[in-house]
Each structure stands twice: as structure tokens, then as C-alpha cells.
Amino acid sequence: MRRIGMLDSPYVRRVAVSLERPWLERVTGQLPAAYSGLEGEVQRRPEVFSALRCQASISAAVAWQFTQSMLASIVPASHHPGLVSLSTRLERTPELQKYPPVGPGVSAANR
């Protein structure tokens, strides 16, 4: 019990926050670059992303939807028209309509 209390001390929380900050800054910088690269692939290789029931399309659309529901201010939809279009097309499929994105961070506009 004593050890659990120690892990929940203000000192441990400050250390965790100080270690977390550089990681968050790095990820915040990498995320727009990653989506820029993915947008480029969607634009350059439409044959890969035209099939809605393929791994590339599903993975890209699900990741896009999650990112837009949680971090839209970091990765603006206006900079990624190919991903917006792909995600919109997939969201119209019966499979994704059966399991719509709901929960914390998902606004009504994203449903």
C-alpha cells in the first residue's frame, strides 16, 4: 500500500508531466507531417484507395476519423481533401454505418 501511495505523490506526477511534454511536442509536430504524406499517397495512388473494402482505405479512413475527432486543430481537414473524401465515402458503407464513431471527443458533426 505504501508504494502505491508513493507513485501517486505530487513529485511523481510532476516528473511524469515533465517527461510527457517533450513527447507530446514531438508527436504534435510529427502528426501533420504524417498526414501530409498519407494525403499525398491518396492523391497519387487513387487506384489503391478507390476500393473501399481494402486494408489501405479502411486503415486510412479510420485513422483519419479518429484524428479528426480528437486532434482536428492539429491536422486541419481543409489541408487533406483526399482523406476527407475517402473517409466520407467509407462512412457511407453499411459496415461503417452499423458501427458509427461515438464517444468522448466525437462531435455530432463527425457522426
Side-chain angles (χ1 to χ4, degrees):
M1 288 301 210
R2 186 176 174 94
R3 185 177 176 142
I4 290 172
M6 183 181 87
L7 291 176
D8 194 36
S9 74
Y11 171 75
V12 171
R13 285 192 300 266
R14 277 194 310 274
V15 169
V17 167
S18 68
L19 293 174
E20 197 173 88
R21 189 169 297 125
W23 179 84
L24 287 173
E25 289 171 1
R26 187 177 75 247
V27 169
T28 301
Q30 291 172 340
L31 199 56
Y35 273 106
S36 178
L38 184 55
E39 174 68 21
E41 288 299 306
V42 169
Q43 297 288 338
R44 278 188 298 279
R45 302 177 65 195
E47 71 281 357
V48 172
F49 295 94
S50 63
L52 295 180
R53 289 173 179 85
C54 74
Q55 190 64 52
S57 295
I58 293 167
S59 296
V62 168
W64 177 253
Q65 177 60 247
F66 174 79
T67 302
Q68 287 302 289
S69 69
M70 303 300 286
L71 303 166
S73 63
I74 296 171
V75 186
S78 61
H79 297 164
H80 304 86
L83 287 166
V84 170
S85 175
L86 175 64
S87 181
T88 300
R89 288 192 337 263
L90 248 84
E91 288 171 19
R92 291 182 184 141
T93 64
E95 295 84 0
L96 267 72
Q97 286 189 355
K98 185 175 179 179
Y99 301 102
V102 295
V106 180
S107 68
N110 290 343
R111 289 187 198 164

